[in-house]
Amino acid sequence: MRGFLYALTVSLVMGLAYWAYQENIKTQAVLSYVEALQDDIGHARARLKILRAEWAYQNRPERLQDLADLNYDGLKLLPLSADHFGRVDQVGFPELPLLDQEDLRPLDVASRRIGQ
Amino acid sequence: MSDMPLRAPLRPLSQILPARDRGENPDIIERKNIELRHETQRDPARARAQGRLLVLGIMFICIFAVITVRIGLLSASEPIEPRSQKAGASIIAQRADIVDRRGRILATNMETHSLYVETAHLVDAQGTARALAQVFPDLDADRLFKAFTGQRKFLWIKKKLSPEQMQAAHDIGDPGLRFGPREMRLYPNGNLAAHVLGGASFGREGVHAAEVVGVAGVEKSFDERLRDPAQSGAPLQLSIDLSVQAAVEQVLYGGMQLLNAKGAAAILMDVHTGEVLSLASLPNFDPNNRPSLPAKLKAADSPLFNRALQGVYELGSTFKIFAVSQALQMGMVTPETIIDIRGPIRWGKFRIKDYHNYGAKLPVFEVITKSSNIGAARIAQMIGAEEQKRFLTSLGFLAPIPIEMPEAKGGRPLVPSKWTELSTMTISYGHGLSATPLHLAVGYAAIANGGYKVTPTLVPNPTVAKGERVLSETVSKQSVDMLRSVVTDGTASFGEVAGYAVAGKTGTADKPNPQGAYHEEKVISTFASIFPANDPKYVLVVSLDEPEDRTGSEPRRTAGWTAVPVAAEIIGRIAPLLGMRPLIEKQTRADITLTSTN
């Protein structure tokens, strides 16, 4: 009986040791993964920061002004001035094509879209 | 129990019985036996106790040793991020960005590298020195070689490297050349708003990191806020509007070139909240590469000098409206009251005269529109020195303006040491008291917003408590109307901007020369304006240093010919950017009408 208990205890300890070893390895793996992720996040943040800075740099007013001047022939961009304001009815909206009556029925439209 | 040694009985019958027979007390035998037993037990017990003490002592020594070693290791090792903690916003320890009122970036950080040399690891000192001098033309190969072979073990080569420079330095391939990560402050808009932003440089420096500290402007005044890790990188928003600032600087620069001025300043401020939307001072500098203070130049001529905040100038006739508003407020005059303007006024050897002769009498509103020095002086005489001083103090003209810029402390107004009646008279038309353009903007804001003093600020401030009331609503309205007529009928006729009803006052002040007198041909010309006049929203102060319009037969320097057209151009450009629809004034109703009036 005692021998059996000894054997049981020893195997239990071995089993637990194996489990702890496994858990340790898994934890280490997860920690390295998290570390890699954090590294990625850090790099992504740095990249985002650079992109934001670059966006701000590319859109600096001085450059936009130069670009507007360079492309004046094509774009005809001028500084906004008071005479650019007007009434809504002075705006030449493009005429909208008449709507297809079928398109006004939502069920039909939905089923047709699904069909496509 | 069976293993334990047999204990000798304390009362062995073999001794007790004979003792009883002898008539002795058997307890004596017991006591003797107890004593004997204790004697045999004492030594092992002491040995055991000593052994325990020893173990305890060793344990304490071990614990202390572990703690000491740990402390030593922690203090000596480089900090590392905890591996198991979850990443969050809290790990961002970068200096916060600065953005404008619409969230556009004014200042941000960029990762770069520094280059240093550990001379012990240098393989080819001479070759490295020569190669470095080729990569960085500002370095001298001989001097580098001397430094490499001297006593020093460590020296910085460059604090910031561009990626190309880094690659070139890397390609030299000497193991003594080392790179350290650096965070550098980047101002993507270059010179734009340079004086507001100021600049940053490195504080305490290590190989692996360096502190970025603000050295001027908002970078300095908000340094703690920008570095605070608890803010977790939340950007600092300013009240500056990037596109407005760009337009102001562009027009101001153009005006400065056309009018041959050596400097210029402009401030655009919300009259109700005190938010500064644009603050420009020319010449300016690139905060990415902030110049050092030039030794040869006077401080006031350096590009680092912020004319809008630090430039203390006599602001000329722009001050007249303060005398008139105060007289209106005190009930001494109405806009129609006739003032005797016969002159010149003689005061000792001092004479007050007008630019032109406007006759003998002028109503108060024409004192403003025609800009009569004598008229303003007469009104100031009515007010008196004490009252004038009190009023100008309440408008903030006697102390530096408390705006969030370290430079503002340098804008301490120059006031007469003795506020005599003559000072009162000269101050009424802007001589004898020097203040900054920002002071003027604050004063005009109070006139424009219905009489409340405002405190200018550089952070968006939508809900602002109204400041102290210095003028009544009526006086404020009357004053703005007078300023409006300066533009429609007076000295600032070039200030008219179709649709934006500009009101304002010109001021041309002779510059004082080092001898204490005034220059004949050097002026500071200023235009302080309010727009739109019917419901004032913004105050714009434009000031030009030594302008000269040389297009006519003789040079023109008065503000009406210099600062006013520049200010008008600025208003024409920025008012639409500020989202203001043009207003159609009743007398000039044209073919377009408005959908709404703001």
Side-chain angles (χ1 to χ4, degrees):
Chain A
M1 184 62 195
R2 192 182 283 174
F4 173 71
L5 275 179
Y6 275 142
L8 192 75
T9 318
V10 167
S11 57
L12 196 73
V13 166
M14 280 173 73
L16 280 174
Y18 180 72
W19 174 81
Y21 180 72
Q22 289 288 319
E23 286 304 304
N24 187 21
I25 284 182
K26 274 191 221 161
T27 312
Q28 294 293 335
V30 169
L31 278 180
S32 326
Y33 177 64
V34 167
E35 209 170 59
L37 265 186
Q38 278 188 358
D39 217 37
D40 284 354
I41 292 172
H43 280 118
R45 279 214 177 104
R47 215 165 52 237
L48 198 63
K49 200 104 197 181
I50 292 282
L51 287 174
R52 284 218 187 95
E54 180 147 3
W55 179 257
Y57 180 69
Q58 299 289 359
N59 284 294
R60 65 192 190 277
E62 193 187 353
R63 180 169 177 272
L64 294 184
Q65 177 74 50
D66 289 349
L67 286 175
D69 291 346
L70 271 176
N71 295 297
Y72 181 75
D73 292 336
L75 297 171
K76 302 260 187 305
L77 289 176
L78 282 170
L80 193 62
S81 70
D83 50 8
H84 293 142
F85 287 83
R87 282 199 317 238
V88 175
D89 55 13
Q90 292 175 315
V91 181
F93 287 111
E95 281 202 10
L96 293 171
L98 283 174
L99 286 172
D100 184 0
Q101 284 302 307
E102 283 220 351
D103 281 350
L104 294 175
R105 272 179 285 169
L107 267 178
D108 284 355
V109 174
S111 60
R112 240 186 7 206
R113 292 276 151 78
I114 292 164
Q116 287 163 2
Chain B
M1 292 297 268
S2 58
D3 295 345
M4 282 182 68
L6 272 174
R7 296 215 299 181
L10 291 175
R11 292 168 79 102
L13 285 175
S14 57
Q15 289 175 17
I16 296 282
L17 293 177
R20 272 198 192 144
D21 293 341
R22 285 196 299 274
E24 288 170 2
N25 189 354
D27 289 352
I28 297 171
I29 294 170
E30 186 185 354
R31 244 176 271 139
K32 208 177 268 170
N33 279 336
I34 289 176
E35 231 164 73
L36 277 173
R37 184 188 279 183
H38 281 177
E39 218 143 279
T40 53
Q41 279 177 347
R42 197 167 53 211
D43 282 344
R46 185 191 285 138
R48 197 162 63 230
Q50 277 175 342
R52 281 178 184 164
L53 275 176
L54 191 71
V55 168
L56 201 66
I58 290 171
M59 269 173 63
F60 268 105
I61 287 172
C62 284
I63 290 168
F64 277 116
V66 165
I67 291 174
T68 314
V69 168
R70 191 79 190 119
I71 289 176
L73 280 178
L74 277 178
S75 63
S77 64
E78 287 291 329
I80 45 165
E81 259 179 70
R83 295 181 72 200
S84 56
Q85 232 167 42
K86 75 166 197 270
S90 56
I91 62 164
I92 304 171
Q94 277 186 325
R95 193 175 174 84
D97 287 356
I98 301 177
V99 297
D100 85 333
R101 63 189 295 127
R102 296 197 214 165
R104 289 169 292 196
I105 291 176
L106 297 175
T108 183
N109 301 309
M110 207 172 82
E111 274 173 30
T112 176
H113 287 84
S114 61
L115 176 64
Y116 60 94
V117 167
E118 281 182 359
T119 48
H121 293 106
L122 271 180
V123 175
D124 173 13
Q126 192 149 25
T128 310
R130 212 177 302 126
L132 276 177
Q134 266 176 8
V135 178
F136 306 105
D138 55 322
L139 297 180
D140 180 52
D142 294 337
R143 199 178 288 174
L144 276 178
F145 179 65
K146 212 175 274 175
F148 290 166
T149 48
Q151 294 290 311
R152 297 174 65 179
K153 289 183 175 158
F154 175 98
L155 65 142
W156 290 107
I157 303 292
K158 285 274 162 190
K159 303 221 166 148
K160 289 184 252 178
L161 293 179
S162 72
E164 293 82 9
Q165 286 173 329
M166 186 176 166
Q167 188 60 46
H170 193 78
D171 288 344
I172 297 172
D174 199 289
L177 290 176
R178 304 283 171 102
F179 300 100
R182 273 288 176 285
E183 205 147 84
M184 86 183 219
R185 204 67 168 150
L186 179 78
Y187 303 92
N189 301 304
N191 287 19
L192 203 62
H195 283 105
V196 177
L197 296 168
S201 78
F202 293 121
R204 277 177 298 168
E205 277 188 283
V207 167
H208 296 298
E211 223 178 21
V212 180
V213 289
V215 291
V218 289
E219 288 273 22
K220 189 170 184 185
S221 53
F222 287 101
D223 198 37
E224 266 184 34
R225 152 72 180 79
L226 290 166
R227 286 159 63 174
D228 186 3
Q231 300 274 355
S232 60
L236 169 72
Q237 196 170 32
L238 297 185
S239 60
I240 298 288
D241 186 309
L242 185 66
S243 38
V244 171
Q245 175 80 18
V248 169
E249 284 192 19
Q250 195 197 6
V251 177
L252 200 62
Y253 182 75
M256 190 174 118
Q257 297 292 312
L258 277 176
L259 297 165
N260 312 298
K262 70 170 194 177
I267 297 166
L268 177 73
M269 192 170 86
D270 187 308
V271 296
H272 299 289
T273 60
E275 290 169 302
V276 175
L277 278 92
S278 169
L279 191 146
S281 169
L282 296 174
N284 57 13
F285 57 92
D286 183 359
N288 290 305
N289 191 12
R290 191 179 157 85
S292 48
L293 210 61
K296 280 183 285 176
L297 242 63
K298 275 192 296 180
D301 291 334
S302 145
L304 294 177
F305 185 72
N306 190 339
R307 287 161 193 273
L309 258 59
Q310 293 169 297
V312 179
Y313 309 114
E314 288 183 316
L315 292 161
S317 310
T318 50
F319 259 58
K320 285 176 187 154
I321 194 68
F322 299 121
V324 170
S325 319
Q326 193 187 0
L328 288 171
Q329 176 70 23
M330 292 166 80
M332 289 171 166
V333 292
T334 66
E336 285 75 34
T337 308
I338 301 295
I339 304 289
D340 177 7
I341 57 152
R342 278 172 300 173
I345 304 177
R346 282 173 211 281
W347 202 272
K349 48 184 183 170
F350 198 86
R351 283 159 47 141
I352 298 174
K353 54 183 194 292
D354 278 337
Y355 200 69
H356 298 292
N357 184 9
Y358 302 117
K361 285 171 181 174
L362 272 185
V364 168
F365 75 90
E366 281 198 41
V367 169
I368 294 294
T369 50
K370 296 218 157 69
S371 196
S372 160
N373 294 343
I374 299 173
R378 290 285 181 223
I379 293 170
Q381 267 184 313
M382 291 190 227
I383 294 167
E386 276 305 308
E387 276 299 311
Q388 186 189 42
K389 191 173 179 183
R390 188 195 57 75
F391 183 68
L392 291 178
T393 309
S394 69
L395 284 177
F397 272 105
L398 267 59
I401 297 277
I403 194 170
E404 301 91 338
M405 296 266 278
E407 290 83 2
K409 292 188 194 76
R412 178 172 288 282
L414 302 175
V415 293
S417 49
K418 259 180 76 184
W419 205 293
T420 60
E421 193 170 355
L422 178 63
S423 317
T424 314
M425 283 154 72
T426 58
I427 286 169
S428 72
Y429 59 89
H431 283 76
L433 189 151
S434 305
T436 65
L438 186 62
H439 281 93
L440 196 62
V442 171
Y444 270 68
I447 288 175
N449 68 9
Y452 297 97
K453 191 190 170 190
V454 297
T455 311
T457 173
L458 278 165
V459 289
N461 195 11
T463 51
V464 70
K466 284 193 167 162
E468 180 199 348
R469 178 142 218 172
V470 287
L471 293 172
S472 73
E473 188 79 46
T474 329
V475 171
S476 157
K477 184 89 188 61
Q478 285 172 335
S479 308
V480 173
D481 286 347
M482 278 187 239
L483 293 174
R484 174 74 185 130
S485 57
V486 174
V487 175
T488 51
D489 318 307
T491 52
S493 51
F494 287 133
E496 183 66 4
V497 181
Y500 293 111
V502 180
K505 182 77 193 80
T506 55
T508 313
D510 293 331
K511 279 180 85 166
N513 63 19
Q515 287 81 42
Y518 286 101
H519 282 294
E520 284 290 311
E521 298 186 337
K522 290 184 179 173
V523 297
I524 298 270
S525 86
T526 311
F527 184 51
S529 54
I530 295 164
F531 65 96
N534 51 340
D535 176 22
K537 279 203 159 49
Y538 298 103
V539 53
L540 172 75
V541 174
V542 171
S543 173
L544 295 173
D545 190 359
E546 299 180 20
E548 205 172 74
D549 176 7
R550 297 183 193 140
T551 53
S553 52
E554 56 182 274
R556 286 179 285 226
R557 302 187 185 89
T558 55
W561 285 96
T562 53
V564 175
V566 175
E569 179 65 21
I570 290 178
I571 294 173
R573 281 283 298 277
I574 63 174
L577 291 176
L578 293 165
M580 291 171 68
R581 296 171 197 189
L583 302 166
I584 306 302
E585 284 180 279
K586 286 198 179 90
Q587 65 270 31
T588 57
R589 186 172 285 276
D591 49 351
I592 60 159
T593 39
L594 280 179
T595 49
S596 81
T597 53
N598 41 2

